[in-house]
């Protein structure tokens, strides 16, 4: 049952990373582009180190390696969209919407694998979709009109991307060594973060961030230390346990994010600045219960 504890550990650590990222984007960096570049540098360093330090598994097919690369690209696009969304939305709402990805997994299974879903599965899909949409109700606007709507769109694009990334990661792990998949995936996640940020604006932002010691330390802590541990735990859980059960346990990230963000938004320690009204907490709790419950039914039924 090691994959159970690993999945729950990954959920808690990822929740902490989301909250860290929100605080960094709120206070410590001048823009998302520069933040993306630094994340890319961290991840390409991690991926290169893993690929150089761990021997390549003999007999690995080119197709399996290609799946690992696709997993990295999909995950990178997903996380890049999510970083942008978190910079504009309340982190607990963004993460709840992001966790509608089991719906996309089910749709992909129907389209690409020819699977057929029962009535119970369809009820679960509706439950997750409604829960993900419900959490966006009452989101305070941070931009006029289309800016807020675009951020919400990014959340659901990120959800679709991570669904494809998890499916392709599982396919690659079925044949490849864990560390080989981890290394390839990390390098191509980094490529997605690095390339769009290498613009004059992005490089100016990087220069400003590097001049802020607090920002550098927080980014290194969140993205260079905590996030790699979370990703390693997730891949390790996928390599040990059934994908459906691991996916269900990973959905507990929602609960952890809500608890952490609420504890950091009190009048005594208000660093995330999320509303703690009865209405807001009730709506978020209901949405999270629907998403987690629907995910459990969808993956276990």
């Amino acid at each position: 049952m090691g994959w159970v504890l690993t999945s729950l550990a990954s959920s808690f650590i990822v929740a902490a990373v989301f909250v860290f990222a929100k605080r960094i984007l709120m206070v410590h960096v001048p823009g998302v582009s520069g933040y993306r570049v630094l994340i890319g540098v961290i991840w390409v360093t991690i991926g290169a180190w893993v690929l150089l330090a761990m021997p390549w598994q003999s007999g690995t097919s080119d197709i399996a390696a290609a799946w690992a690369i696709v997993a990295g690209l999909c995950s990178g696009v997903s996380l890049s969209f999510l970083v942008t969304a978190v910079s504009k939305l309340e982190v607990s709402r963004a993460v709840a919407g992001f966790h509608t990805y089991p719906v996309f997994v089910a749709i992909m299974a129907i389209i690409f694998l020819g699977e057929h879903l029962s009535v119970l599965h369809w009820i679960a899909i509706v439950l997750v979709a409604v829960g993900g949409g419900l959490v966006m109700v009452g989101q305070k606007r941070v931009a006029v009109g289309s800016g807020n709507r675009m951020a919400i769109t990014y959340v659901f694009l990120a959800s679709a991307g991570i669904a494809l990334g998890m499916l392709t990661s599982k396919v690659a792990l079925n044949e490849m060594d864990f560390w080989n998949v981890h290394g390839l995936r990390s390098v191509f996640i980094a490529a997605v973060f690095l390339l769009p940020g290498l613009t004059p604006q992005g490089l100016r932002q990087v220069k400003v961030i590097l001049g802020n010691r607090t920002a550098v330390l927080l980014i290194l802590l969140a993205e260079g230390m905590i996030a790699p541990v979370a990703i390693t735990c997730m891949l390790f859980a996928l390599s040990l346990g059934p994908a459906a059960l691991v996916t269900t346990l990973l959905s507990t990230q929602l609960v952890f994010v809500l608890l952490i963000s609420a504890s950091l938004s009190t009048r005594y320690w208000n660093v995330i600045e999320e509303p703690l009204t009865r209405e807001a907490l009730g709506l978020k709790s209901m949405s999270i219960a629907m998403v987690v419950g629907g995910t459990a039914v969808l993956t276990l039924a």
Side-chain angles (χ1 to χ4, degrees):
M1 296 295 285
W3 59 270
V4 175
L5 295 177
T6 308
S7 299
L8 291 173
S10 176
S11 290
F12 177 79
I13 298 169
V14 168
V17 171
F18 280 131
V19 176
F20 258 107
K22 179 62 176 180
R23 178 63 181 176
I24 292 168
L25 289 163
M26 284 174 60
V27 176
H28 298 289
V29 299
V32 176
S33 295
Y35 183 53
R36 281 203 194 101
V37 170
L38 292 178
I39 292 175
V41 170
I42 290 170
W43 277 101
V44 77
T45 303
I46 292 170
W49 182 84
V50 170
L51 290 175
L52 291 172
M54 300 298 175
W56 188 260
Q57 181 182 1
S58 60
T60 299
S61 69
D62 293 339
I63 293 177
W67 281 122
I69 291 170
V70 171
L73 292 173
C74 292
S75 299
V77 171
S78 169
L79 295 173
S80 184
F81 277 136
L82 188 59
V83 166
T84 303
V86 167
S87 71
K88 299 179 180 296
L89 304 173
E90 294 169 27
V91 63
S92 56
R93 295 183 191 272
V95 175
F98 174 68
H99 275 77
T100 57
Y101 64 80
V103 172
F104 294 102
V105 172
I107 293 171
M108 290 172 189
I110 293 171
I111 295 173
F112 298 112
L113 303 178
E115 294 186 1
H116 299 282
L117 301 184
S118 67
V119 173
L120 185 60
H121 284 124
W122 283 112
I123 292 173
I125 287 174
V126 172
L127 194 63
V128 173
V130 172
L134 181 65
V135 77
M136 296 301 175
V137 176
Q139 164 64 42
K140 61 181 180 182
R141 293 192 176 274
V142 295
V144 177
S146 62
N148 198 60
R149 290 194 295 271
M150 185 57 68
I152 293 172
T153 301
Y154 284 157
V155 169
F156 294 107
L157 288 175
S159 181
I162 203 64
L164 190 54
M166 292 184 72
L167 284 174
T168 49
S169 292
K170 183 62 177 178
V171 172
L173 286 166
N174 286 337
E175 181 177 334
M176 290 179 65
D177 176 72
F178 168 83
W179 290 110
N180 294 161
V181 174
H182 194 1
L184 280 177
R185 189 175 180 275
S186 298
V187 167
F188 284 90
I189 286 175
V192 173
F193 274 89
L194 270 173
L195 294 179
L198 295 178
T199 62
Q201 180 187 32
L203 294 176
R204 283 195 299 270
Q205 291 179 5
V206 170
K207 185 177 180 180
V208 172
I209 295 170
L210 292 178
N212 183 334
R213 182 179 298 178
T214 301
V216 172
L217 289 176
L218 287 175
I219 291 171
L220 287 175
L221 177 62
E223 304 295 343
M225 297 175 65
I226 301 176
V229 172
I231 297 299
T232 301
C233 288
M234 183 198 75
L235 289 175
F236 192 56
L238 281 171
S239 70
L240 292 178
L245 299 179
V246 171
T247 301
T248 300
L249 288 176
L250 290 176
S251 69
T252 58
Q253 289 171 17
L254 298 174
V255 179
F256 291 128
V257 168
L258 181 60
L259 292 174
I260 296 171
S261 62
S263 66
L264 295 178
S265 299
T266 65
R267 61 178 178 176
Y268 303 106
W269 199 17
N270 190 11
V271 297
I272 301 299
E273 299 179 3
E274 295 207 356
L276 292 182
T277 64
R278 182 179 299 176
E279 293 77 10
L281 288 176
L283 185 65
K284 290 177 185 178
S285 299
M286 183 184 301
S287 172
I288 287 171
M290 292 173 71
V291 173
V292 173
T295 298
V297 173
L298 188 61
T299 54
L300 300 179

